[in-house]
Amino acid sequence: MAFELPPLPYPKDAFGELISAETFDYHHGKHHNAYVTKANELVNADPALQGKSLVELINQTAASGPKGLFNQVGQIWNHNFYWLSLSPEKKEPTGELLNLINEAFGSVDALLEKLKAEAVGHFASGWAALILKDGKLAVTSYHDADCPVAHGDTPLFILDVWEHAYYVDYRNARPNYAEALLKDAVNWDFVAQNLDGQGAERANQQW
Ligand code: FE2
């Protein structure tokens, strides 16, 4: 058994200039794939780790390590969830999700501003996220390979703010990347689906 690189849920040229095919070649084909390869090496080397899911390994290693394995499985889960968080087709939040957004932030635009500020203000590598906490929406971020699963947070949406996510298309301009994707590439259907609390499972994989 082994973890596998999941296929992208859309063609790699589906986003046009918003996210280029070259970015997907590197980000999905090289970076995400490298986390999968490395995680499999580590799990293959230790029979006690075998047969477990990403979520199980994240929870097992989050507090007490080994940090090397946590980083790999955290990054596989984060990237699985990130690809699902994006859509090449522009969508809008509706229904219960829209009500929760208005209740927590006042408007969709205010939520997007808060997510952008979180993404831009996050120092160095990591992930900006929208989560459900105590029945309310909240914006937060995670450093490096850390992920919502490791904190028991209910994930709704995440945005990769590692440089490898934007350097090909936006060079060093993280604010432009965050603004462009938040405006036109959020898969609001996926965000709404995750209100059922099953988001962690949607990016999970069995070894
Ligand atoms: Fe990434």
Side-chain angles (χ1 to χ4, degrees), residues 75-106:
Q75 283 294 75
I76 299 174
W77 187 94
N78 277 333
H79 284 90
N80 290 353
F81 199 81
Y82 172 60
W83 306 131
L84 295 169
S85 290
L86 302 178
S87 166
E89 193 185 308
K90 188 168 167 56
K91 297 176 185 288
E92 303 288 345
T94 57
E96 186 196 358
L97 175 61
L98 183 58
N99 291 341
L100 286 167
I101 290 171
N102 288 334
E103 185 189 317
F105 306 103

mmCIF file of all heavy atoms in Angstrom, residues 75-106:
data_model
loop_
_atom_site.group_PDB
_atom_site.id
_atom_site.type_symbol
_atom_site.label_atom_id
_atom_site.label_comp_id
_atom_site.label_asym_id
_atom_site.label_seq_id
_atom_site.Cartn_x
_atom_site.Cartn_y
_atom_site.Cartn_z
ATOM 1 N N GLN A 75 1.183 18.143 4.788
ATOM 2 C CA GLN A 75 1.216 18.797 3.480
ATOM 3 C C GLN A 75 0.422 18.029 2.426
ATOM 4 O O GLN A 75 -0.155 18.640 1.519
ATOM 5 C CB GLN A 75 2.661 19.001 3.004
ATOM 6 C CG GLN A 75 3.350 20.168 3.705
ATOM 7 C CD GLN A 75 2.720 21.505 3.346
ATOM 8 O OE1 GLN A 75 1.628 21.847 3.824
ATOM 9 N NE2 GLN A 75 3.394 22.280 2.519
ATOM 10 N N ILE A 76 0.370 16.709 2.516
ATOM 11 C CA ILE A 76 -0.488 15.969 1.562
ATOM 12 C C ILE A 76 -1.943 16.369 1.802
ATOM 13 O O ILE A 76 -2.671 16.721 0.882
ATOM 14 C CB ILE A 76 -0.335 14.434 1.707
ATOM 15 C CG1 ILE A 76 1.096 13.990 1.438
ATOM 16 C CG2 ILE A 76 -1.285 13.735 0.718
ATOM 17 C CD1 ILE A 76 1.319 12.492 1.714
ATOM 18 N N TRP A 77 -2.350 16.337 3.080
ATOM 19 C CA TRP A 77 -3.753 16.689 3.385
ATOM 20 C C TRP A 77 -4.039 18.134 2.952
ATOM 21 O O TRP A 77 -5.059 18.403 2.320
ATOM 22 C CB TRP A 77 -4.049 16.518 4.890
ATOM 23 C CG TRP A 77 -5.508 16.720 5.169
ATOM 24 C CD1 TRP A 77 -6.476 15.764 5.239
ATOM 25 C CD2 TRP A 77 -6.176 17.985 5.335
ATOM 26 N NE1 TRP A 77 -7.707 16.348 5.439
ATOM 27 C CE2 TRP A 77 -7.543 17.711 5.498
ATOM 28 C CE3 TRP A 77 -5.760 19.311 5.349
ATOM 29 C CZ2 TRP A 77 -8.501 18.716 5.679
ATOM 30 C CZ3 TRP A 77 -6.711 20.325 5.521
ATOM 31 C CH2 TRP A 77 -8.058 20.020 5.693
ATOM 32 N N ASN A 78 -3.136 19.063 3.309
ATOM 33 C CA ASN A 78 -3.357 20.474 2.965
ATOM 34 C C ASN A 78 -3.536 20.654 1.454
ATOM 35 O O ASN A 78 -4.435 21.365 1.007
ATOM 36 C CB ASN A 78 -2.164 21.317 3.420
ATOM 37 C CG ASN A 78 -2.235 21.710 4.891
ATOM 38 O OD1 ASN A 78 -3.324 21.818 5.459
ATOM 39 N ND2 ASN A 78 -1.084 21.934 5.506
ATOM 40 N N HIS A 79 -2.671 20.004 0.672
ATOM 41 C CA HIS A 79 -2.781 20.169 -0.785
ATOM 42 C C HIS A 79 -4.026 19.481 -1.336
ATOM 43 O O HIS A 79 -4.691 20.028 -2.214
ATOM 44 C CB HIS A 79 -1.501 19.688 -1.485
ATOM 45 C CG HIS A 79 -0.379 20.665 -1.355
ATOM 46 N ND1 HIS A 79 0.522 20.622 -0.318
ATOM 47 C CD2 HIS A 79 -0.031 21.755 -2.094
ATOM 48 C CE1 HIS A 79 1.381 21.633 -0.434
ATOM 49 N NE2 HIS A 79 1.058 22.340 -1.506
ATOM 50 N N ASN A 80 -4.356 18.287 -0.821
ATOM 51 C CA ASN A 80 -5.602 17.640 -1.259
ATOM 52 C C ASN A 80 -6.782 18.588 -1.060
ATOM 53 O O ASN A 80 -7.652 18.726 -1.923
ATOM 54 C CB ASN A 80 -5.868 16.362 -0.443
ATOM 55 C CG ASN A 80 -4.909 15.238 -0.749
ATOM 56 O OD1 ASN A 80 -4.093 15.326 -1.667
ATOM 57 N ND2 ASN A 80 -4.986 14.166 0.029
ATOM 58 N N PHE A 81 -6.800 19.242 0.118
ATOM 59 C CA PHE A 81 -7.926 20.117 0.471
ATOM 60 C C PHE A 81 -7.894 21.414 -0.341
ATOM 61 O O PHE A 81 -8.940 21.949 -0.712
ATOM 62 C CB PHE A 81 -7.904 20.414 1.978
ATOM 63 C CG PHE A 81 -9.212 20.909 2.522
ATOM 64 C CD1 PHE A 81 -10.235 20.023 2.828
ATOM 65 C CD2 PHE A 81 -9.431 22.268 2.739
ATOM 66 C CE1 PHE A 81 -11.453 20.473 3.327
ATOM 67 C CE2 PHE A 81 -10.647 22.730 3.238
ATOM 68 C CZ PHE A 81 -11.656 21.832 3.540
ATOM 69 N N TYR A 82 -6.688 21.901 -0.605
ATOM 70 C CA TYR A 82 -6.527 23.146 -1.367
ATOM 71 C C TYR A 82 -7.061 22.988 -2.796
ATOM 72 O O TYR A 82 -7.803 23.843 -3.281
ATOM 73 C CB TYR A 82 -5.040 23.513 -1.376
ATOM 74 C CG TYR A 82 -4.613 24.664 -2.255
ATOM 75 C CD1 TYR A 82 -5.115 25.951 -2.085
ATOM 76 C CD2 TYR A 82 -3.655 24.466 -3.260
ATOM 77 C CE1 TYR A 82 -4.676 27.005 -2.882
ATOM 78 C CE2 TYR A 82 -3.204 25.519 -4.049
ATOM 79 C CZ TYR A 82 -3.719 26.783 -3.860
ATOM 80 O OH TYR A 82 -3.280 27.828 -4.638
ATOM 81 N N TRP A 83 -6.706 21.887 -3.471
ATOM 82 C CA TRP A 83 -7.203 21.711 -4.852
ATOM 83 C C TRP A 83 -8.723 21.679 -4.859
ATOM 84 O O TRP A 83 -9.366 22.222 -5.760
ATOM 85 C CB TRP A 83 -6.659 20.426 -5.482
ATOM 86 C CG TRP A 83 -5.166 20.271 -5.464
ATOM 87 C CD1 TRP A 83 -4.469 19.167 -5.060
ATOM 88 C CD2 TRP A 83 -4.163 21.232 -5.878
ATOM 89 N NE1 TRP A 83 -3.112 19.382 -5.176
ATOM 90 C CE2 TRP A 83 -2.901 20.639 -5.676
ATOM 91 C CE3 TRP A 83 -4.228 22.529 -6.386
ATOM 92 C CZ2 TRP A 83 -1.701 21.290 -5.957
ATOM 93 C CZ3 TRP A 83 -3.038 23.198 -6.669
ATOM 94 C CH2 TRP A 83 -1.805 22.577 -6.454
ATOM 95 N N LEU A 84 -9.305 21.043 -3.841
ATOM 96 C CA LEU A 84 -10.773 20.958 -3.773
ATOM 97 C C LEU A 84 -11.398 22.305 -3.413
ATOM 98 O O LEU A 84 -12.559 22.562 -3.732
ATOM 99 C CB LEU A 84 -11.188 19.911 -2.734
ATOM 100 C CG LEU A 84 -10.804 18.463 -3.061
ATOM 101 C CD1 LEU A 84 -11.029 17.558 -1.845
ATOM 102 C CD2 LEU A 84 -11.609 17.953 -4.246
ATOM 103 N N SER A 85 -10.622 23.165 -2.747
ATOM 104 C CA SER A 85 -11.119 24.491 -2.346
ATOM 105 C C SER A 85 -11.231 25.459 -3.522
ATOM 106 O O SER A 85 -11.818 26.535 -3.383
ATOM 107 C CB SER A 85 -10.185 25.124 -1.304
ATOM 108 O OG SER A 85 -10.255 24.450 -0.072
ATOM 109 N N LEU A 86 -10.636 25.097 -4.660
ATOM 110 C CA LEU A 86 -10.606 25.992 -5.818
ATOM 111 C C LEU A 86 -11.530 25.487 -6.923
ATOM 112 O O LEU A 86 -11.739 24.288 -7.071
ATOM 113 C CB LEU A 86 -9.179 26.087 -6.370
ATOM 114 C CG LEU A 86 -8.110 26.576 -5.390
ATOM 115 C CD1 LEU A 86 -6.739 26.561 -6.063
ATOM 116 C CD2 LEU A 86 -8.438 27.967 -4.863
ATOM 117 N N SER A 87 -12.046 26.438 -7.697
ATOM 118 C CA SER A 87 -12.880 26.094 -8.847
ATOM 119 C C SER A 87 -12.560 27.021 -10.011
ATOM 120 O O SER A 87 -12.485 28.233 -9.831
ATOM 121 C CB SER A 87 -14.365 26.257 -8.490
ATOM 122 O OG SER A 87 -15.147 26.248 -9.669
ATOM 123 N N PRO A 88 -12.400 26.468 -11.223
ATOM 124 C CA PRO A 88 -12.148 27.317 -12.386
ATOM 125 C C PRO A 88 -13.413 28.073 -12.825
ATOM 126 O O PRO A 88 -13.339 29.011 -13.614
ATOM 127 C CB PRO A 88 -11.698 26.323 -13.467
ATOM 128 C CG PRO A 88 -12.238 25.007 -13.043
ATOM 129 C CD PRO A 88 -12.358 25.036 -11.550
ATOM 130 N N GLU A 89 -14.540 27.641 -12.279
ATOM 131 C CA GLU A 89 -15.821 28.261 -12.622
ATOM 132 C C GLU A 89 -16.176 29.200 -11.472
ATOM 133 O O GLU A 89 -16.214 28.772 -10.319
ATOM 134 C CB GLU A 89 -16.844 27.123 -12.696
ATOM 135 C CG GLU A 89 -18.161 27.420 -13.310
ATOM 136 C CD GLU A 89 -19.025 26.158 -13.152
ATOM 137 O OE1 GLU A 89 -18.571 25.059 -13.534
ATOM 138 O OE2 GLU A 89 -20.121 26.302 -12.593
ATOM 139 N N LYS A 90 -16.414 30.466 -11.756
ATOM 140 C CA LYS A 90 -16.711 31.417 -10.673
ATOM 141 C C LYS A 90 -18.028 31.058 -9.996
ATOM 142 O O LYS A 90 -19.032 30.834 -10.660
ATOM 143 C CB LYS A 90 -16.762 32.846 -11.223
ATOM 144 C CG LYS A 90 -16.879 33.897 -10.123
ATOM 145 C CD LYS A 90 -16.624 35.292 -10.666
ATOM 146 C CE LYS A 90 -17.045 36.379 -9.688
ATOM 147 N NZ LYS A 90 -16.430 36.291 -8.358
ATOM 148 N N LYS A 91 -17.991 30.986 -8.668
ATOM 149 C CA LYS A 91 -19.190 30.632 -7.910
ATOM 150 C C LYS A 91 -19.466 31.706 -6.858
ATOM 151 O O LYS A 91 -18.618 32.564 -6.607
ATOM 152 C CB LYS A 91 -18.976 29.276 -7.213
ATOM 153 C CG LYS A 91 -18.778 28.115 -8.183
ATOM 154 C CD LYS A 91 -18.484 26.819 -7.466
ATOM 155 C CE LYS A 91 -18.168 25.691 -8.437
ATOM 156 N NZ LYS A 91 -19.324 25.196 -9.179
ATOM 157 N N GLU A 92 -20.639 31.630 -6.237
ATOM 158 C CA GLU A 92 -21.006 32.571 -5.176
ATOM 159 C C GLU A 92 -21.561 31.774 -3.996
ATOM 160 O O GLU A 92 -22.226 30.771 -4.184
ATOM 161 C CB GLU A 92 -22.098 33.545 -5.655
ATOM 162 C CG GLU A 92 -21.762 34.357 -6.897
ATOM 163 C CD GLU A 92 -20.723 35.448 -6.653
ATOM 164 O OE1 GLU A 92 -20.463 35.770 -5.474
ATOM 165 O OE2 GLU A 92 -20.168 35.954 -7.648
ATOM 166 N N PRO A 93 -21.306 32.244 -2.775
ATOM 167 C CA PRO A 93 -21.926 31.574 -1.625
ATOM 168 C C PRO A 93 -23.422 31.870 -1.565
ATOM 169 O O PRO A 93 -23.846 32.989 -1.869
ATOM 170 C CB PRO A 93 -21.197 32.180 -0.421
ATOM 171 C CG PRO A 93 -20.523 33.413 -0.910
ATOM 172 C CD PRO A 93 -20.434 33.354 -2.401
ATOM 173 N N THR A 94 -24.199 30.865 -1.180
ATOM 174 C CA THR A 94 -25.654 31.026 -1.088
ATOM 175 C C THR A 94 -26.157 30.336 0.182
ATOM 176 O O THR A 94 -25.389 29.677 0.886
ATOM 177 C CB THR A 94 -26.366 30.374 -2.301
ATOM 178 O OG1 THR A 94 -25.985 28.996 -2.356
ATOM 179 C CG2 THR A 94 -26.003 31.062 -3.610
ATOM 180 N N GLY A 95 -27.460 30.477 0.437
ATOM 181 C CA GLY A 95 -28.149 29.702 1.474
ATOM 182 C C GLY A 95 -27.553 29.837 2.866
ATOM 183 O O GLY A 95 -27.202 30.935 3.320
ATOM 184 N N GLU A 96 -27.421 28.682 3.551
ATOM 185 C CA GLU A 96 -26.930 28.657 4.930
ATOM 186 C C GLU A 96 -25.526 29.259 5.028
ATOM 187 O O GLU A 96 -25.208 29.979 5.976
ATOM 188 C CB GLU A 96 -26.911 27.206 5.449
ATOM 189 C CG GLU A 96 -26.551 27.095 6.922
ATOM 190 C CD GLU A 96 -26.145 25.681 7.332
ATOM 191 O OE1 GLU A 96 -26.183 24.770 6.494
ATOM 192 O OE2 GLU A 96 -25.766 25.512 8.506
ATOM 193 N N LEU A 97 -24.667 28.951 4.040
ATOM 194 C CA LEU A 97 -23.303 29.477 4.069
ATOM 195 C C LEU A 97 -23.321 31.005 4.019
ATOM 196 O O LEU A 97 -22.616 31.665 4.788
ATOM 197 C CB LEU A 97 -22.486 28.913 2.895
ATOM 198 C CG LEU A 97 -21.074 29.481 2.736
ATOM 199 C CD1 LEU A 97 -20.215 29.196 3.959
ATOM 200 C CD2 LEU A 97 -20.409 28.923 1.474
ATOM 201 N N LEU A 98 -24.140 31.560 3.135
ATOM 202 C CA LEU A 98 -24.226 33.021 3.021
ATOM 203 C C LEU A 98 -24.713 33.631 4.336
ATOM 204 O O LEU A 98 -24.190 34.658 4.792
ATOM 205 C CB LEU A 98 -25.153 33.397 1.862
ATOM 206 C CG LEU A 98 -25.289 34.892 1.571
ATOM 207 C CD1 LEU A 98 -23.938 35.530 1.253
ATOM 208 C CD2 LEU A 98 -26.269 35.122 0.415
ATOM 209 N N ASN A 99 -25.689 32.983 4.966
ATOM 210 C CA ASN A 99 -26.182 33.475 6.262
ATOM 211 C C ASN A 99 -25.073 33.488 7.310
ATOM 212 O O ASN A 99 -24.924 34.445 8.065
ATOM 213 C CB ASN A 99 -27.339 32.598 6.775
ATOM 214 C CG ASN A 99 -28.582 32.758 5.923
ATOM 215 O OD1 ASN A 99 -28.715 33.754 5.194
ATOM 216 N ND2 ASN A 99 -29.480 31.787 5.979
ATOM 217 N N LEU A 100 -24.293 32.400 7.345
ATOM 218 C CA LEU A 100 -23.190 32.312 8.326
ATOM 219 C C LEU A 100 -22.116 33.362 8.039
ATOM 220 O O LEU A 100 -21.523 33.928 8.961
ATOM 221 C CB LEU A 100 -22.580 30.903 8.300
ATOM 222 C CG LEU A 100 -23.427 29.806 8.940
ATOM 223 C CD1 LEU A 100 -22.890 28.422 8.572
ATOM 224 C CD2 LEU A 100 -23.468 29.959 10.462
ATOM 225 N N ILE A 101 -21.847 33.617 6.757
ATOM 226 C CA ILE A 101 -20.855 34.644 6.382
ATOM 227 C C ILE A 101 -21.337 36.019 6.841
ATOM 228 O O ILE A 101 -20.595 36.788 7.463
ATOM 229 C CB ILE A 101 -20.605 34.636 4.851
ATOM 230 C CG1 ILE A 101 -19.855 33.362 4.439
ATOM 231 C CG2 ILE A 101 -19.844 35.887 4.416
ATOM 232 C CD1 ILE A 101 -19.746 33.149 2.939
ATOM 233 N N ASN A 102 -22.599 36.315 6.564
ATOM 234 C CA ASN A 102 -23.134 37.624 6.946
ATOM 235 C C ASN A 102 -23.149 37.797 8.472
ATOM 236 O O ASN A 102 -22.846 38.876 8.985
ATOM 237 C CB ASN A 102 -24.542 37.811 6.374
ATOM 238 C CG ASN A 102 -24.500 38.017 4.869
ATOM 239 O OD1 ASN A 102 -23.497 38.480 4.317
ATOM 240 N ND2 ASN A 102 -25.578 37.651 4.182
ATOM 241 N N GLU A 103 -23.459 36.711 9.162
ATOM 242 C CA GLU A 103 -23.515 36.752 10.630
ATOM 243 C C GLU A 103 -22.117 37.010 11.216
ATOM 244 O O GLU A 103 -21.951 37.809 12.142
ATOM 245 C CB GLU A 103 -24.045 35.397 11.121
ATOM 246 C CG GLU A 103 -24.278 35.275 12.610
ATOM 247 C CD GLU A 103 -24.599 33.826 12.984
ATOM 248 O OE1 GLU A 103 -25.379 33.181 12.251
ATOM 249 O OE2 GLU A 103 -24.042 33.342 13.977
ATOM 250 N N ALA A 104 -21.109 36.351 10.649
ATOM 251 C CA ALA A 104 -19.759 36.445 11.232
ATOM 252 C C ALA A 104 -18.976 37.659 10.749
ATOM 253 O O ALA A 104 -18.173 38.229 11.492
ATOM 254 C CB ALA A 104 -18.973 35.170 10.915
ATOM 255 N N PHE A 105 -19.187 38.059 9.492
ATOM 256 C CA PHE A 105 -18.318 39.095 8.897
ATOM 257 C C PHE A 105 -19.088 40.308 8.363
ATOM 258 O O PHE A 105 -18.463 41.301 8.021
ATOM 259 C CB PHE A 105 -17.489 38.482 7.758
ATOM 260 C CG PHE A 105 -16.707 37.265 8.183
ATOM 261 C CD1 PHE A 105 -17.144 35.990 7.843
ATOM 262 C CD2 PHE A 105 -15.554 37.388 8.950
ATOM 263 C CE1 PHE A 105 -16.440 34.858 8.248
ATOM 264 C CE2 PHE A 105 -14.844 36.261 9.360
ATOM 265 C CZ PHE A 105 -15.290 35.002 9.012
ATOM 266 N N GLY A 106 -20.391 40.198 8.221
ATOM 267 C CA GLY A 106 -21.185 41.318 7.705
ATOM 268 C C GLY A 106 -21.492 41.202 6.231
ATOM 269 O O GLY A 106 -22.573 41.572 5.791
#
